């Protein structure tokens, strides 16, 4: 699966934790293979439905990621250490508001 990362929502986390990019790619690909059974909806971004899930990595510990998936492509929009879903969705909503969600 081809997984890309949004610069504004992911760059800081990817620079801070070197193994996180590979780990997120693995988890998103595994979720796609499992029909996204462990993912929940997280709003819309640029006309695409977002899903969110928790990712564990050696360097970062646990993080939550918001991503879209379409066929064999996926894009990670946002990465944060905010793990409580309610707080994560509030934080994501603020981020998406700045990005001009549709």
């Amino acid at each position: 699966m081809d997984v890309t990362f949004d610069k504004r929502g992911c760059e800081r986390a990817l620079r801070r934790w070197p193994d996180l990019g590979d780990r997120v790619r693995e988890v998103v690909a595994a979720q796609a293979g499992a029909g996204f059974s462990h993912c929940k909806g997280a709003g819309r971004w640029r006309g695409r439905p977002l899903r969110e899930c928790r990712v564990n990595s050696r360097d970062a510990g646990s993080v939550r990621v918001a991503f879209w998936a379409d066929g064999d492509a996926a894009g990670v929009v946002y990465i944060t250490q905010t793990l409580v879903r309610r707080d994560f969705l509030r934080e994501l909503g603020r981020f998406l508001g700045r990005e001009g969600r549709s």
Side-chain angles (χ1 to χ4, degrees), residues 11 20 22 38-41 44-45 55 61-62 70 72 81 88-89 94 97 99:
E11 184 177 32
L20 189 58
D22 291 336
H38 293 285
C39 296
K40 295 180 181 175
R44 297 185 69 76
W45 185 70
V55 175
S62 294
D70 187 17
D72 200 30
Q81 283 187 299
F88 168 77
L89 291 175
R94 285 191 302 267
E99 289 292 306

Side-chain angles (χ1 to χ4, degrees), residues 13-14 16-21 23-24 55-64 79-83:
L14 294 175
R16 186 172 178 192
W17 300 298
D19 78 319
L20 189 58
R23 186 68 185 126
V24 169
V55 175
N56 298 314
S57 81
R58 183 184 70 246
D59 294 340
S62 294
V63 297
R64 274 200 191 268
I79 301 172
T80 184
Q81 283 187 299
T82 303
L83 297 179

Side-chain angles (χ1 to χ4, degrees), residues 10 15 35 42 53 59 74 99:
C10 302
R15 271 189 286 133
C53 69
D59 294 340
E99 289 292 306

